[in-house]
Amino acid sequence: MKKQASKMSRAISQIEHMYSAINTDFWDGELPTPVITVQSAPGTAGHCTRAKVWQRKDGGAYELNISAEALNQPVEEVIDTIIHEMVHLYCRENGVQEVSRNGSYHNKNFKAIAEAHGLKCYRTEKYGWNTTPTDALVAYALQKGWSEISLGRDTLPKPITAPGQTAGTAAQSGTRTSSTRKLACPICKQSVRATRHVNILCGDCMVKMLEV
């Protein structure tokens, strides 16, 4: 049974691992390694700073934050947020103007880069192009065996974009449903995800797993 990340240190370690794998698999390893943080980010799922705000020996690093309020979303939603912010990081590194309106509106450049790296975009009135996982990205997460992060803050406050940050997936810009189904064993609670309805048994308890 794969452990879920239920401690902050383990959650950040898991996100760092995801970032590294996604950078290799989707970006050919070309993106720099940011400092991964988990902080309260009201109204958004994450942010990437516009500059290298962290000092370190290699010359500094961007900050890529996953919102504490959205940390315990289905794992494909966390991956969506990571790639969403990686799009911003790519644009910082390559001088691409992907946002306007003080960093809150995602334009066609953002859409093109996001869709070239595993995401699907949909239009919103206030925030421009927002992102959602594709079936291929869900399958990628399942193939990697990445578990959900069973940790997160209880509420999503009203949206505020802090100075020097680019808002990620906006919570109020449209309701999205998970692309997968979660099933759990009623006895040992071991869980799995599937992209469609399935009828499977828990290999340890030999009982039918139920959707939760």
Side-chain angles (χ1 to χ4, degrees), residues 171-186:
Q172 76 287 358
S173 60
T175 301
R176 298 181 300 180
T177 58
S178 173
S179 302
T180 63
R181 295 173 172 83
K182 183 177 180 180
L183 299 96
C185 172

Side-chain angles (χ1 to χ4, degrees), residues 180-207:
T180 63
R181 295 173 172 83
K182 183 177 180 180
L183 299 96
C185 172
I187 297 175
C188 70
K189 307 305 180 183
Q190 181 173 205
S191 64
V192 297
R193 281 198 167 272
T195 57
R196 58 185 177 83
H197 178 73
V198 292
N199 186 13
I200 59 175
L201 297 179
C202 172
D204 294 329
C205 304
M206 298 307 296
V207 298

Side-chain angles (χ1 to χ4, degrees), residues 31-187:
L31 296 184
T33 301
V35 171
I36 302 291
T37 61
V38 174
Q39 305 173 48
S40 178
T44 70
H47 72 248
C48 178
T49 55
R50 297 176 182 174
K52 295 181 178 181
V53 298
W54 286 86
Q55 298 180 6
R56 61 187 189 190
K57 293 181 180 179
D58 63 2
Y62 297 94
E63 177 181 285
L64 192 155
N65 182 69
I66 303 299
S67 169
E69 291 83 4
L71 190 63
N72 61 348
Q73 295 292 309
V75 66
E76 67 269 19
E77 298 291 345
V78 176
I79 297 169
D80 166 61
T81 300
I82 294 171
I83 299 179
H84 183 120
E85 301 311 330
M86 291 173 86
V87 173
H88 290 303
L89 197 157
Y90 171 86
C91 292
R92 306 283 182 266
E93 286 286 281
N94 292 277
V96 177
Q97 181 67 42
E98 88 288 15
V99 291
S100 57
R101 301 181 190 174
N102 196 32
S104 64
Y105 189 88
H106 297 64
N107 64 25
K108 63 181 181 181
N109 292 332
F110 176 88
K111 177 179 184 292
I113 297 168
E115 292 186 338
H117 293 87
L119 300 182
K120 180 180 179 180
C121 291
Y122 63 96
R123 188 69 176 269
T124 68
E125 179 74 20
K126 187 175 181 180
Y127 296 97
W129 293 103
N130 207 343
T131 60
T132 190
T134 61
D135 288 343
L137 190 62
V138 173
Y140 172 75
L142 293 171
Q143 182 266 323
K144 289 289 186 180
W146 287 340
S147 60
E148 295 178 347
I149 299 172
S150 55
L151 186 71
R153 294 186 62 153
D154 288 338
T155 59
L156 283 168
K158 292 182 180 180
I160 299 173
T161 302
Q165 298 174 351
T166 295
T169 306
Q172 76 287 358
S173 60
T175 301
R176 298 181 300 180
T177 58
S178 173
S179 302
T180 63
R181 295 173 172 83
K182 183 177 180 180
L183 299 96
C185 172
I187 297 175

